[in-house]
Amino acid sequence: MIDVALTGAKGRMGSLIIDEMRSSRDLKLVAAIDIVGVGEPVLGDVFVSDAREVRRVLRESQPDVLIDFTVPSAALDNIRAAADSGVAIVVGTTGFSEEQFSIIEDTIKSAGIAAVISPNFSLGVNIFWKLVEMAARSLSDYDVEIIEMHHRRKKDAPSGTAMRTVEILRRSLGIEDIRYGREGMCERGREIGVHAVRAGDIVGDHIVLFAGPGERIEIKHQAHSRSAFATGALRAARWVVKAPPGIHSMEEVLASS
Ligand code: NAP
């Protein structure tokens, strides 16, 4: 049995992960942590614990893995707490600054724990990234734009998935200039355009558009439900407890589980 602690337990993703764990035979929720709903029952004999006491909660519940779906500043604290307790981690939170991410890397490295960090745990998006990389290699002269769409409550923009896509395109095409939206006079240069739409209850769409003379290709992923992310995060949790120390990608999880 793998003992799981969850930060952001009352959020959209946290609630789905708990729902999936209800029927799991190999994962057991031992701690549910949030800043809201403290004291509310969650699953079995687990009640929501106060996020301000994350260190004590981890010490007492002794999970094998912490899954974090919160906000960047909170995730940073939670990762530090897990690292201090020697607990493996799965991080789904997006929107880290470069500085925050480098603190996370140092924390995980110096604690010698294993972590899976991914802005998108769905199987489909991980295939989408491979297709984008393949297309970029053959269409290096085409203009490239990323369009992402999410629900109106999403806090960060562009999405973590879009930013990972930027990195893949940057590496494959050798383009350094990123243009976030356009307004006014703006001649197109050798750049990657990135556009974020926030509307209604869209779960998450990502399109990479390659356009050249007389044609265009669009590679598109649409999430219909957050359950694809929850299933992937739990797959990562099962994998990370046996993984060597260091930061691992969802690609590694999917390749070997
Ligand atoms: P959400 O519904 O806002 O849930 C986040 C939860 O974390 C909320 O209940 C929030 O409370 C709580 N929280 C805030 N600070 C906390 C702290 N210090 N400790 C514990 N909990 C805290 O957001 P969501 O849609 O679940 O998404 C969460 C994160 O996951 C976002 O960064 C999102 O972009 C990312 N995400 C990743 C994937 C993936 O596959 N990697 C998929 C979907 C979403 P309040 O509401 O009071 O702030």
Side-chain angles (χ1 to χ4, degrees):
M1 190 63 84
I2 299 168
D3 287 353
V4 178
L6 177 63
T7 39
K10 293 295 288 178
R12 281 176 288 265
M13 282 305 302
S15 305
L16 261 181
I17 285 173
I18 289 167
D19 279 348
E20 287 228 359
M21 286 185 68
R22 254 175 241 289
S23 54
S24 171
R25 292 196 187 151
D26 62 337
L27 299 170
K28 182 180 175 213
L29 187 73
V30 295
I33 302 158
D34 208 304
I35 50 173
V36 289
V38 175
E40 287 178 13
V42 180
L43 179 61
D45 58 358
V46 176
F47 293 76
V48 179
S49 300
D50 191 332
R52 286 170 301 187
E53 294 175 23
V54 62
R55 284 169 187 278
R56 179 187 60 74
V57 175
L58 292 183
R59 231 180 7 253
E60 287 175 7
S61 59
Q62 300 206 329
D64 299 303
V65 55
L66 170 73
I67 302 178
D68 182 278
F69 277 91
T70 58
V71 290
S73 55
L76 211 60
D77 288 344
N78 298 333
I79 291 166
R80 283 186 176 124
D84 289 347
S85 299
V87 174
I89 34 183
V90 170
V91 181
T93 301
T94 59
F96 297 111
S97 65
E98 274 182 31
E99 192 190 348
Q100 284 173 323
F101 202 80
S102 120
I103 295 172
I104 292 172
E105 283 178 323
D106 290 347
T107 306
I108 289 168
K109 206 170 169 187
S110 52
I113 57 168
V116 176
I117 304 181
S118 178
N120 199 308
F121 285 109
S122 86
L123 174 60
V125 156
N126 282 271
I127 304 299
F128 163 87
W129 281 327
K130 284 190 201 299
L131 294 173
V132 168
E133 192 170 9
M134 193 194 300
R137 286 210 192 102
S138 302
L139 301 170
S140 55
D141 292 342
Y142 279 34
D143 293 331
V144 59
E145 301 273 311
I146 299 170
I147 303 117
E148 61 98 332
M149 300 182 208
H150 282 85
H151 54 95
R152 66 198 316 281
R153 293 221 166 92
K154 181 161 177 63
K155 288 174 182 153
D156 55 317
S159 69
T161 303
M163 294 314 292
R164 173 65 57 84
T165 310
V166 165
E167 282 318 308
I168 291 167
L169 289 168
R170 236 183 188 158
R171 212 177 44 229
S172 313
L173 299 169
I175 297 177
E176 281 309 315
D177 284 351
I178 314 298
R179 179 71 69 107
Y180 297 98
R182 289 192 184 82
E183 195 184 24
M185 305 291 288
C186 43
E187 211 173 303
R188 198 182 202 291
R190 187 159 162 75
E191 63 198 26
I192 300 169
V194 184
H195 311 277
V197 177
R198 293 290 172 268
D201 59 359
I202 301 170
V203 172
D205 289 6
H206 292 88
I207 299 166
V208 174
L209 163 70
F210 294 92
E215 63 171 359
R216 71 170 184 267
I217 292 182
E218 290 182 15
I219 301 174
K220 178 175 183 177
H221 177 270
Q222 287 182 291
H224 300 172
S225 138
R226 288 181 184 84
S227 63
F229 311 132
T231 305
L234 291 178
R235 191 165 170 175
R238 290 183 177 97
W239 184 89
V240 78
V241 293
K242 296 184 202 139
I247 299 183
H248 303 278
S249 66
M250 195 55 193
E251 197 180 350
E252 289 173 77
V253 176
L254 294 172
S256 61
S257 68

